[in-house]
Amino acid sequence: MSEFQGQVAVVTGAAGNVGTALCNKLAAAAASIALLDRDPDAMARVLNGLPAGANAASFAVDLLDADSVSGCIADVQKRFGRIDILANVAGGFAMGPTLDETDDATWNLMLDLNARSVFHTARAVLPLMRAGGYGRIVNVAARAALKGQGHMGPYCASKAAVMSLTESMAAETKHLDINVNCILPGTVDTPQNRAAMPDADHDTWVPPEALADVMLFLASNAARCVSGAAVPVYGRS
Ligand SMILES: NC(=O)c1ccc[n+]([C@@H]2O[C@H](COP(=O)([O-])OP(=O)(O)OC[C@H]3O[C@@H](n4cnc5c(N)ncnc54)[C@H](OP(=O)(O)O)[C@@H]3O)[C@@H](O)[C@H]2O)c1
C-alpha cells in the first residue's frame, strides 16, 4: 500500500504546469488531493486528466486574499477531514526594468504572488497540522532565491522570502512531526518558457514531473528527518 493512501494533500497553483504534474503524481500515489487555483474551468481540466479513481476536488481561491484562503482551507477540512501535505506551488515571474524604475504594481505582484501566498496558506494550515500532530509543507522557491539578478529584483527578493519563510517555519515546528522544506527550480520546461526562449537548449531544463518527484520525496517518510532545506533542482542547466 502506498504511504500516501489516506493522506490529504493541498496543492496551490494546481492548474499550472508544476501543479498539474504534482497532482498527477499524488493521485498515482493514492493521496487525496485538494486542488487550489483561481480558475474552476482550468482545475476541472486537471481533475479530468487524473488517474481513474483519484479522490480529488477543486477549490477556487484567491491566494492573495487572506479571507479567501482561510475560507477555502476550512472547506478543504470539511470535505476531507484532515490536511497532511501542503504544497505551495503557485507563483509567478516578471522581468522588469532596473529597480529604480520598477513600479509598485510589479513589486506588489511579485511579493504577493510568491511570498504572501505562502504566508496565507501556511497560516491557515499549520494550526490544523499542529492539532493533528503531523504535517509536510513543501514550498516552491527558485534558483533565483540564492542570488539577486538584474532586471528581476522583486522576483529574486520574493523567492528569497519563500526560502526564509521555509526556514522560519521549520524552526518553529522542529520539535513536532511537521517538516517544512522548499525546492529551488531552475528553468522549468513549460510551453510558456519554450515560447519565450525558442532557441534555448530545452533538454537542459527541468521537466515539471521531475520537480513533482522531488516534492513527493519531501512529503514522504523517507524525508522525515529533513526540515528547513532548500533543495536545488536545476536539471542540466
Ligand atoms: N516556470 C519556471 O521556469 C520556474 C522557475 C523557477 C521557479 N518556478 C516556480 O514554480 C512554480 C510553478 O510554476 P508554473 O510554471 O507551474 O506556474 P504556472 O503554470 O503559472 O502556475 C501557477 C498557477 O497559480 C495560479 N495563480 C496565480 N495567482 C493566483 C492567485 N492569486 N490565486 C490562486 N491561484 C493563482 C495561476 O493561475 P493563472 O494562470 O490564472 O494566473 C496558475 O494556474 C511557481 O512558484 C514558479 O514561481 C517556475
Side-chain angles (χ1 to χ4, degrees):
M1 189 178 91
S2 163
E3 69 177 282
F4 294 108
Q5 178 104 45
Q7 293 199 1
V8 176
V10 171
V11 179
T12 75
N17 299 295
V18 178
T20 300
L22 180 61
C23 288
N24 275 291
K25 296 261 182 197
L26 284 164
S32 299
I33 311 161
L35 288 76
L36 271 59
D37 211 299
R38 57 181 165 191
D39 180 357
D41 293 337
M43 285 190 284
R45 286 191 288 277
V46 179
L47 280 173
N48 285 335
L50 293 179
N55 183 22
S58 65
F59 300 82
V61 67
D62 178 2
L63 294 165
L64 276 43
D65 178 331
D67 291 338
S68 174
V69 172
S70 58
C72 172
I73 294 301
D75 289 345
V76 172
Q77 176 74 3
K78 211 176 295 167
R79 165 72 167 76
F80 289 105
R82 56 190 289 159
I83 295 174
D84 302 280
I85 300 166
L86 169 62
N88 282 310
V89 180
F93 172 76
M95 285 293 284
T98 54
L99 195 71
D100 52 297
E101 293 184 346
T102 295
D103 58 27
D104 285 355
T106 303
W107 173 264
N108 289 339
L109 177 66
M110 287 296 95
L111 270 290
D112 284 350
L113 181 53
N114 290 317
R116 181 181 291 277
S117 60
V118 170
F119 168 50
H120 281 166
T121 56
R123 185 171 59 178
V125 168
L126 269 167
L128 302 174
M129 290 182 166
R130 286 182 196 278
Y134 181 87
R136 300 286 179 262
I137 298 180
V138 187
N139 300 319
V140 179
R143 183 180 200 163
L146 295 175
K147 190 173 191 319
Q149 293 170 48
H151 299 275
M152 49 173 96
Y155 175 73
C156 295
S158 69
K159 289 300 193 182
V162 173
M163 226 176 107
S164 181
L165 289 172
T166 299
E167 291 164 353
S168 292
M169 287 189 278
E172 289 163 1
T173 56
K174 68 178 180 185
H175 55 295
L176 303 169
D177 194 2
I178 297 175
N179 293 6
V180 189
N181 294 290
C182 69
I183 60 169
L184 308 176
T187 306
V188 184
D189 190 359
T190 66
Q192 295 88 339
N193 281 341
R194 283 190 181 229
M197 296 172 271
D199 298 329
D201 182 355
H202 304 148
D203 290 342
T204 65
W205 291 353
V206 190
E209 293 74 21
L211 292 171
D213 281 337
V214 179
M215 297 183 79
L216 221 63
F217 163 70
L218 290 171
S220 77
N221 188 51
R224 63 193 175 283
C225 291
V226 182
S227 195
V231 181
V233 193
Y234 298 165
R236 314 221 168 276
S237 64

